[in-house]
Amino acid sequence: MTQRKRALITGITGQDGSLLAEFLLEKSYEVHGLVRWDSVDTTQRIKKRSGSYQNLYLHFADMNDAQTITRLIKETRPDEIYNLAALTHVQVSFETPAAALETNALGTQYVLEAVRLLDMENDVRIYQASSSEMFGSIPAPQNEASPFAPCSPYAIAKLTAYWMARMYRDAYGLHVSNGILFNHESPVRGEDFVTRKITKAVAAIEAGQQDVLALGNLESVRDWGHARDYIEGIWLMLQQDAPDDYVLATGKAHSVREFTERAFAHIGVKLVWEGEGINEIGKDAKTGKVLVKVDPALFRPKDVNYLLGDAAKAQEKLGWSPRISFDDLVSEMVNADREALRSGEEPWQMAG
Ligand code: NDP
Ligand code: GDR
């Protein structure tokens, strides 16, 4: 009988961590997750989605605590480590730059060094969650050969971790792969990211529970995919004999404005825009009611304006390509938020 594979996931309570845990448990992995203690229970999402599996184990740890990370890698002896934990909100990273560096950069170095200290270089494969934000305003489409020009504390910290992973691969032979992922969303996306903020507001406005959606930079363009597709790509990277770096993206670009229009269209509302800049508003074409406004407080000190990925390498080498379209992504997210309002359950409590 072949032995059950063992995975260790940092950031298991987040969007990708909870979806990846479910994906790996479905594949009969034994899954260990690092969770940090909080005064509210942050493990609800993962427990609700995957708690019925026998092979899920959660351990208290923090990415800023090298000793505990080392001890847990020693105790769990994983075949695969997925390093997903990070301070992930780009705007927040401008307010807490040192925390972004500590968690996203140093935290990654703790994981890599632990593997070396424990002489596990040949026993474990590591996924490092790198980001399209590392490209900054480099012209699109961006791929593995594009230069980097990070322009937020988040992206600078992620780029440090990216290079740290490459250095451990080249210098010490670690099997570590960087996934340079473009934005990927789902009904369990955190509520502060723009897609989920929009779909949640659209559902609440339809239900008469919210009047207006306030947004920042409407012109910002992102390459938005579905997290379910990306989880499979992440896993595929660690199934390769040799470690490497891969971009995962859809190759399709949409602005925040387009995402908003599409989400409202899903509930039968056509938006028309009036005014300019911070005075711009979005109105219901039929009733004239103001549904969207611009809030200057939501602009970043420096934003990345246009991200569009080229995932040809992942397609060729991993056989990966995204299946879920932009329209289906938006519809699924709006429907999940509608259902959440109706049922009183959060989207992560629902199946699917
Ligand atoms: P989430 O924000 O949903 O989850 C982040 C996770 O990191 C949470 O589990 C959080 O725990 C954990 N975490 C944060 N700080 C610490 C810490 N100090 N110690 C331990 N755990 C910590 O992010 P996503 O799931 O969206 O992203 C997963 C990874 O992929 C991240 O590294 C992100 O930067 C990267 N990425 C994401 C993309 C996306 O579009 N989603 C695109 C490109 C890269 P808690 O629940 O306690 O807060
Ligand atoms: P991003 O995602 O910064 O790309 O990082 P986010 O959804 O936060 O912003 C996308 C774009 O929308 C603009 N925007 C707003 N953003 C938020 N959050 N709230 C608003 O009200 C709003 N209005 C406009 C932003 O200015 C930005 O241009 C995400 C995270 O998951 C990172 O961890 C990950 O690395 C990258 O995606 C790839």
Side-chain angles (χ1 to χ4, degrees), residues 13-16 36 62-63 84 88 154 158 181 184 189:
T13 56
Q15 170 186 260
D16 291 5
R36 52 178 174 169
D62 193 294
M63 291 311 288
L84 307 180
T88 59
Y154 167 83
K158 279 285 176 184
L181 270 51
H184 47 279
R189 181 62 143 152

Side-chain angles (χ1 to χ4, degrees), residues 23 26 28 36 48 92 99 108 111 144 151 193 197 218 232 270 279 284 287:
F23 176 89
E26 278 289 320
S28 298
R36 52 178 174 169
K48 189 78 189 182
V92 171
T108 302
V111 171
E144 297 82 0
C151 66
F193 298 99
K197 179 175 171 183
L218 291 169
E232 193 184 3
K270 181 175 165 39
N279 297 316
D284 183 334
T287 65

Side-chain angles (χ1 to χ4, degrees), residues 9 15 26 32 41 43 45 48 57 64-65 76 85 93 103 111 119 140 174 201 213-214 266 275 306 312 318:
I9 304 177
Q15 170 186 260
E26 278 289 320
H32 294 263
D41 186 2
T43 63
R45 171 157 50 185
K48 189 78 189 182
Y57 303 89
N64 304 317
D65 176 352
T76 57
S93 80
T103 305
V111 171
D119 292 326
L174 261 65
L213 162 64
H266 186 71
Y306 197 99
L318 305 178

Side-chain angles (χ1 to χ4, degrees), residues 44-265:
Q44 283 184 49
R45 171 157 50 185
I46 178 71
K47 282 185 185 151
K48 189 78 189 182
R49 292 188 73 86
S50 301
S52 58
Y53 289 90
Q54 299 288 320
N55 302 317
L56 174 68
Y57 303 89
L58 300 180
H59 311 266
F60 281 124
D62 193 294
M63 291 311 288
N64 304 317
D65 176 352
Q67 287 176 336
T68 305
I69 289 172
T70 308
R71 177 174 59 75
L72 286 175
I73 294 175
K74 184 177 176 207
E75 285 174 6
T76 57
R77 296 210 70 90
D79 303 295
E80 296 172 5
I81 297 176
Y82 295 89
N83 186 38
L84 307 180
L87 191 161
T88 59
H89 201 286
V90 176
Q91 185 167 14
V92 171
S93 80
F94 282 99
E95 285 163 40
T96 59
L101 274 173
E102 279 170 9
T103 305
N104 303 6
L106 260 186
T108 302
Q109 192 264 327
Y110 295 157
V111 171
L112 297 166
E113 185 62 18
V115 168
R116 202 166 82 87
L117 279 172
L118 295 166
D119 292 326
M120 287 174 63
E121 291 95 329
N122 298 320
D123 304 338
V124 61
R125 297 179 177 189
I126 305 163
Y127 171 81
Q128 171 53 25
S130 291
S131 165
S132 53
E133 281 290 304
M134 301 185 319
F135 294 120
S137 45
I138 291 300
Q142 298 96 5
N143 65 21
E144 297 82 0
S146 302
F148 296 114
C151 66
S152 65
Y154 167 83
I156 291 165
K158 279 285 176 184
L159 188 54
T160 305
Y162 165 91
W163 281 115
M164 200 62 86
R166 288 193 60 159
M167 186 276 283
Y168 273 79
R169 183 165 82 205
D170 296 342
Y172 305 122
L174 261 65
H175 191 299
V176 48
S177 296
N178 281 294
I180 308 172
L181 270 51
F182 283 65
N183 300 52
H184 47 279
E185 320 293 311
S186 75
V188 298
R189 181 62 143 152
E191 294 171 9
D192 272 350
F193 298 99
V194 76
T195 55
R196 183 75 202 291
K197 179 175 171 183
I198 294 168
T199 61
K200 202 166 182 246
V202 165
I205 288 170
E206 182 186 39
Q209 295 182 14
Q210 184 173 334
D211 292 326
V212 181
L213 162 64
L215 290 171
N217 184 1
L218 291 169
E219 310 312 337
S220 183
V221 170
R222 290 290 182 273
D223 178 334
W224 278 296
H226 197 300
R228 255 200 320 270
D229 283 336
Y230 289 56
I231 293 305
E232 193 184 3
I234 288 173
W235 175 77
L236 281 170
M237 288 178 211
L238 294 203
Q239 309 317 306
Q240 307 307 306
D241 289 340
D244 207 340
D245 304 322
Y246 299 94
V247 159
L248 297 186
T250 70
K252 298 200 173 65
H254 297 276
S255 64
V256 171
R257 183 191 299 280
E258 282 166 3
F259 193 105
T260 311
E261 287 169 353
R262 179 72 218 128
F264 274 104

